[in-house]
Amino acid sequence: MSCAICEKRKEKRFCPAIHGRICPQCCGEQREVTLDCPSDCVYLQQAREHEKPRSMRDLNPADLFVQVDVEDQFLYQHEHLLMGLTFALSKSVRADRSLNDTDLIAALTALTKTWETLVNSGLVYENPIASPAQQAVVAEVQNMVKEYREAEQKHVGYVQLRDSEVLRALVFLVRMAHGRTSGRPKSRAFVDFILAQFPEKPSGIAAPEEAGSRLITP
């Protein structure tokens, strides 16, 4: 039997993305490029285990918002904010299983630019997003920030969270997303990392306070 993709080489493994048998070369070349590989594919999991992490030095500095400083102390002091933002991403992904790393990075990048403009000029300018799926991610994250501030107002009596702190938290997530993704068009490595922070339970999804401290700096 020949490979279902190239139709030349001998098939040696089952591909759940096309529900057919393919050769190892096509598996390696088309994985998360033309193939929508499910997260539980053993060959995808093996590839991730042996794949070297992406170096931040190989990425475009502009994509990482290098002009924004995010100190280790900030991460410790705002752990609840970071977990809340990550929880919002996990909710978006579970609501739309078609989302991949590219979608999350695009949504986070647009959000970060919006907050950077707000911090630097005081103007509210929302960067346009063409994809309805990415717009939904942005809305979920924005709603989480709103709820976070409402919770502060209720328990403390005033809002402590500053716009500059939201900006730095978003920059951290953008950098983490770039560091976690494989960079392939259909990669879901960052998506799977996000979902792993909040595993589904019989009674629902683990809330941020139940997830503990799992975020790892990129």
Side-chain angles (χ1 to χ4, degrees):
M1 295 290 290
S2 60
C3 169
I5 295 179
C6 68
E7 299 182 342
K8 296 178 182 179
R9 292 175 290 272
K10 185 177 180 180
E11 53 84 6
K12 291 187 177 181
R13 58 182 60 170
F14 177 77
C15 175
I18 65 170
H19 301 286
R21 299 189 66 82
I22 63 176
C23 67
Q25 183 171 334
C26 282
C27 178
E29 292 175 349
Q30 303 306 320
R31 181 185 303 125
E32 294 186 319
V33 177
T34 61
L35 299 175
D36 287 306
C37 304
S39 301
D40 58 357
C41 173
V42 294
Y43 301 108
L44 173 64
Q45 293 174 355
Q46 290 173 2
R48 286 179 178 173
E49 289 177 1
H50 296 92
E51 204 166 43
K52 292 182 179 180
R54 301 177 80 201
S55 172
M56 295 293 101
R57 291 172 295 183
D58 297 332
L59 299 174
N60 184 350
D63 293 338
L64 303 178
F65 296 92
V66 294
Q67 69 277 14
V68 179
D69 292 327
V70 183
E71 309 86 355
D72 290 341
Q73 184 178 7
F74 171 83
L75 302 180
Y76 291 119
Q77 292 176 341
H78 296 82
E79 181 178 337
H80 291 296
L81 172 63
L82 292 168
M83 294 304 295
L85 293 173
T86 309
F87 182 61
L89 293 179
S90 74
K91 288 179 62 178
S92 296
V93 171
R94 285 198 164 90
D96 185 352
R97 294 288 182 170
S98 69
L99 288 169
N100 55 34
D101 294 352
T102 300
D103 292 314
L104 293 191
I105 290 174
L108 286 171
T109 298
L111 258 177
T112 304
K113 289 180 178 178
T114 295
W115 283 91
E116 186 176 38
T117 300
L118 176 62
V119 169
N120 292 337
S121 66
L123 299 176
V124 178
Y125 173 76
E126 295 187 2
N127 283 264
I129 304 175
S131 166
Q134 294 172 15
Q135 290 174 359
V137 176
V138 169
E140 189 68 58
V141 174
Q142 292 277 44
N143 186 59
M144 181 271 145
V145 174
K146 177 175 176 289
E147 291 179 349
Y148 189 97
R149 284 177 159 163
E150 289 175 348
E152 284 188 330
Q153 181 69 46
K154 179 179 179 180
H155 293 96
V156 184
Y158 59 94
V159 175
Q160 294 176 308
L161 183 63
R162 294 176 291 182
D163 292 336
S164 60
E165 293 170 334
V166 176
L167 171 61
R168 284 190 282 175
L170 290 171
V171 168
F172 169 77
L173 290 179
V174 168
R175 293 172 183 173
M176 182 168 65
H178 279 290
R180 288 279 175 178
T181 185
S182 69
R184 291 186 286 270
K186 296 178 179 291
S187 171
R188 285 175 56 87
F190 178 58
V191 166
D192 289 340
F193 170 77
I194 291 294
L195 291 177
Q197 309 310 303
F198 304 96
E200 289 183 297
K201 301 166 60 179
S203 59
I205 304 174
E209 60 271 16
E210 297 173 336
S213 180
R214 297 174 182 161
L215 292 183
I216 302 175
T217 55

